[in-house]
Amino acid sequence: MEVTEILKKYSADIDQEITAALEEVDPETLRQASEHLVKAGGKKLRPSLVVLSAEAVGGQVKSALKTGAAVELIHTFSLIHDDIMDQDEKRRGKPSVHVLWGEPTAILAGDTLFSKAFETVMRSEEDGVPAPTILPALNALVDSCVKICEGQALDMGFAERTDVTEEEYLNMIFKKTAALIAAATKAGAIVGGGTPEQIEALSEYGRLIGMAFQIQDDYLDVASSEEDLGKPVGSDIVEGKMTLLVVNALARASEEDHNRLLTILKEEGDEHVSEAMEIMEKYGSIEYAWHVAQEDVNQAKQLLRDVLDDSPAREALLLIADFVLQRSN
């Protein structure tokens, strides 16, 4: 089965839970702003991971749907606020929430999604999840929300620095990107009734594929085509971002190349993007990033094989780990 089919398998049920969570939001403008990005599509990767993790430990799909919906609500909240901070005018091919409704309403829409996420998890008892099980699942999501904010703050701080270390960078992407994916797989295993060993392994699986997902984004920015990416190649360089490739190249480069790469990163425009890519290529930084992502995925897959019995859900999780590296955008 293709990964896109796996993700579609649960998307209708997840969407139904999200609609139920938001249908009574009032006034209508706030409800429309809150629903906008959810209705614009998206892969539904994170909620699918919740459901698959529950199934992989022997749980029922129904028990995980509200937690899956909650994870998608949190993810969408973070996207709305990211778009405001970055002043991005489009998301998923549609105008951003703040473009359509203004920044104040967009902030409120994000806050609404954030709040509704926790309310939705707490309603899991309606689907047969025991109350004592809900609390640790909720705790996993709350912890990830704090980390998302920390990761965003770290990322913003990196924009002012030229001495970011690889360890600092990996910590930032863990918090900003991987923490919610780890929370999705952990919470899914919890509501699915997994053992402590299974819950820990699935949490780590989520962290590893989350790390690989972000590193692959860094890699694709210079190794993919504009057609596949849907944006110009090297846009991270134009924006002066401290990606794993840049951090690695700056650490390895000669003084001359180090200074030249920093100069290009600070420039306006894309005139010297190819030169920056040549410097990263020269020091093996592009290949290095790909290998780090590959190693994360290999470890994630091994964890699943070590603690989970063979099942369609485990097979789907293995396929999703590979998909993280096989995607082209």
Side-chain angles (χ1 to χ4, degrees):
M1 187 183 278
E2 292 285 324
V3 167
T4 48
E5 290 173 44
I6 293 166
L7 301 182
K8 276 180 189 169
K9 184 178 173 184
Y10 306 105
S11 61
D13 288 335
I14 296 290
D15 283 342
Q16 198 172 340
E17 292 290 351
I18 291 172
T19 299
L22 299 177
E23 64 186 356
E24 291 182 5
V25 171
D26 186 54
E28 188 179 351
T29 51
L30 180 60
R31 179 176 55 75
Q32 289 173 342
S34 301
E35 290 177 335
H36 175 67
L37 275 189
V38 178
K39 289 185 172 178
K43 298 184 185 78
K44 299 287 193 302
L45 172 67
R46 291 157 189 81
S48 296
L49 285 169
V50 175
V51 180
L52 287 167
S53 297
E55 282 192 288
V57 299
Q60 300 298 310
V61 169
K62 188 174 175 59
S63 68
L65 288 174
K66 286 183 172 57
T67 302
V71 168
E72 187 68 7
L73 289 168
I74 291 167
H75 177 55
T76 310
F77 132 76
S78 71
L79 297 181
I80 292 174
H81 284 194
D82 276 359
D83 287 344
I84 295 168
M85 285 184 272
D86 298 339
Q87 288 298 298
D88 286 338
E89 296 191 355
K90 284 207 163 184
R91 171 73 68 175
R92 294 173 178 167
K94 303 279 176 69
S96 300
V97 175
H98 69 91
V99 170
L100 292 174
W101 285 278
E103 285 188 13
T105 298
I107 291 167
L108 289 175
D111 292 347
T112 300
L113 293 168
F114 184 73
S115 306
K116 284 289 184 181
F118 302 117
E119 181 184 81
T120 303
V121 177
M122 289 189 289
R123 287 180 43 235
S124 295
E125 214 172 346
E126 297 169 15
D127 298 330
V129 181
T133 302
I134 294 170
L135 190 59
L138 190 61
N139 190 53
L141 298 191
V142 170
D143 181 61
S144 73
C145 290
V146 176
K147 286 188 168 65
I148 290 168
C149 297
E150 291 174 343
Q152 181 68 15
L154 286 169
D155 195 19
M156 287 159 57
F158 287 176
E160 311 299 321
R161 292 176 52 195
T162 58
D163 60 345
V164 177
T165 66
E166 182 172 328
E167 185 180 4
E168 287 178 306
Y169 176 77
L170 293 175
N171 179 50
M172 182 274 287
I173 65 167
F174 161 61
K175 290 183 169 183
K176 187 174 176 181
T177 302
L180 183 58
I181 296 175
T185 49
K186 182 176 184 176
I190 291 169
V191 296
T195 66
E197 185 189 22
Q198 289 172 330
I199 292 166
E200 183 54 41
L202 277 158
S203 175
E204 181 64 2
Y205 159 86
R207 184 189 74 82
L208 286 163
I209 67 165
M211 297 293 284
F213 191 95
Q214 184 57 57
I215 293 166
Q216 181 72 354
D217 267 3
D218 293 354
Y219 171 79
L220 289 173
D221 185 66
V222 299
S224 192
S225 67
E226 184 168 340
E227 185 181 0
D228 284 336
L229 276 179
K231 61 179 182 178
V233 173
S235 61
D236 285 349
I237 297 167
V238 175
E239 291 172 28
K241 283 188 179 176
M242 283 287 153
T243 66
L244 181 60
L245 291 78
V246 169
V247 169
N248 182 264
L250 288 171
R252 293 186 183 190
S254 66
E255 187 178 355
E256 183 184 350
D257 286 340
H258 180 281
N259 292 338
R260 181 60 186 146
L261 182 53
L262 284 180
T263 300
I264 295 169
L265 290 166
K266 290 173 185 171
E267 284 177 348
E268 298 285 331
D270 59 1
E271 193 179 343
H272 297 110
V273 163
S274 59
E275 187 183 348
M277 287 163 63
E278 283 167 16
I279 293 171
M280 290 190 280
E281 185 76 48
K282 179 179 176 180
Y283 293 98
S285 300
I286 298 173
E287 188 180 2
Y288 173 75
W290 188 86
H291 279 296
V292 171
Q294 181 71 65
E295 183 55 33
D296 283 346
V297 165
N298 290 343
Q299 284 184 43
K301 289 166 68 177
Q302 191 56 51
L303 276 168
L304 297 188
R305 294 190 179 108
D306 287 345
V307 303
L308 298 176
D309 294 333
D310 190 17
S311 69
R314 189 186 82 161
E315 192 57 37
L317 290 169
L318 291 168
L319 285 171
I320 286 172
D322 286 331
F323 166 74
V324 166
L325 293 186
Q326 290 164 358
R327 65 200 173 90
S328 57
N329 60 29

